[in-house]
């Protein structure tokens, strides 16, 4: 065991994905809920870093929480929220070994998810779909405007999004419904 630590929020925070880079730094991606397990609203407590891209909860039922720890686990190098006014879930992380930028694949229900360079984004427009209600999903997520997959390139220091793009059509993209045989595979 190289290191073990706990990190999270006063509201519910579920770990979804993690990866490391060639220097041994650990990156985590989790789902931050807008309320605690007892249903009490709580938008505070997630330990964002100075200069983080987003330092507060953005809206909807969930946001992504992205963290980077050093190789010993003793220092939190950066921590940021990622989201728009709908719900978000991170599903996969990969580090670009040349630039040290973090690539994040996830699901969004936000038509205003940050797309810093729409001209050079593959698809800067949220397609959405029919609403996806809590009863249809594992864990109680809700996407009132439907879902798209989102791909994000986060700067090496976690202070900015280099670019991002939606991926999806007019159907439900990036999630599995309770009726699906893949329901326990999250995204």
């Amino acid at each position: 065991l190289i290191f073990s630590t706990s990190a999270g929020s006063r509201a519910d925070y579920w770990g979804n994905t993690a990866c490391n880079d060639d220097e041994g730094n650990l990156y985590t991606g989790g789902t931050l809920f807008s309320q605690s397990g007892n249903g009490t609203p709580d938008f505070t407590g997630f330990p964002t870093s100075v200069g983080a891209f987003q330092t507060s909860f953005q809206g909807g039922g969930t946001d992504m929480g992205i963290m980077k720890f050093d190789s010993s686990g003793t220092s939190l190098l950066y921590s940021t929220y990622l989201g728009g006014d709908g719900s978000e879930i991170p599903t996969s992380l990969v580090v670009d070994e040349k630039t040290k930028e973090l690539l994040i694949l996830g699901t969004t229900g936000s038509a205003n998810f940050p797309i810093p360079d729409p001209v050079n984004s593959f698809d800067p427009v949220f397609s959405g779909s029919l609403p996806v209600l809590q009863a249809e999903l594992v864990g109680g997520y809700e996407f009132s405007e439907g879902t798209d997959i989102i791909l994000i390139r986060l700067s090496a220091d976690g202070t900015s999004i280099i670019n991002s793009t939606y991926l999806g059509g007019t159907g439900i993209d990036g999630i599995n419904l309770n009726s699906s045989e893949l329901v326990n595979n999250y995204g």
Side-chain angles (χ1 to χ4, degrees), residues 8-181:
S9 174
R10 286 194 300 254
D12 288 351
Y13 178 58
W14 294 359
N16 294 89
T17 182
C19 73
N20 64 293
D21 62 22
D22 61 359
E23 297 169 358
N25 297 312
L26 175 69
Y27 300 77
T28 66
T31 303
L32 290 157
F33 285 78
S34 60
Q35 56 190 9
S36 64
N38 65 9
T40 304
D42 189 343
F43 303 101
T44 62
F46 182 67
T48 58
S49 53
V50 174
F53 175 70
Q54 290 179 334
T55 58
S56 62
F57 192 85
Q58 299 301 300
T62 63
D63 276 354
M64 294 183 199
I66 306 296
M67 303 173 100
K68 178 182 178 181
F69 295 90
D70 73 349
S71 62
S72 69
T74 58
S75 294
L76 178 62
L77 301 177
Y78 70 72
S79 180
T80 187
Y81 287 92
L82 286 180
D85 62 5
S87 290
E88 280 79 31
I89 305 168
T91 54
S92 188
L93 304 176
V94 176
V95 177
D96 181 321
E97 293 303 336
K98 289 182 184 176
T99 65
K100 304 299 180 197
E101 296 163 348
L102 183 63
L103 303 172
I104 305 160
L105 181 70
T107 302
T108 184
S110 298
N112 68 339
F113 192 92
I115 309 281
D117 187 1
V119 172
N120 292 308
S121 176
F122 174 75
D123 184 359
V125 179
F126 180 71
S127 296
S129 62
L130 296 172
V132 181
L133 305 176
Q134 288 182 356
E136 299 175 285
L137 299 171
V138 172
Y141 306 111
E142 185 164 306
F143 298 92
S144 60
E145 303 299 321
T147 61
D148 272 352
I149 293 171
I150 191 80
L151 180 61
I152 306 139
R153 182 178 282 269
L154 187 65
S155 66
D157 61 3
T159 62
S160 64
I161 291 179
I162 306 302
N163 210 355
S164 54
T165 188
Y166 293 104
L167 299 171
T170 56
I172 297 169
D173 302 302
I175 57 171
N176 293 312
L177 300 177
N178 272 334
S179 59
S180 167
E181 293 175 9

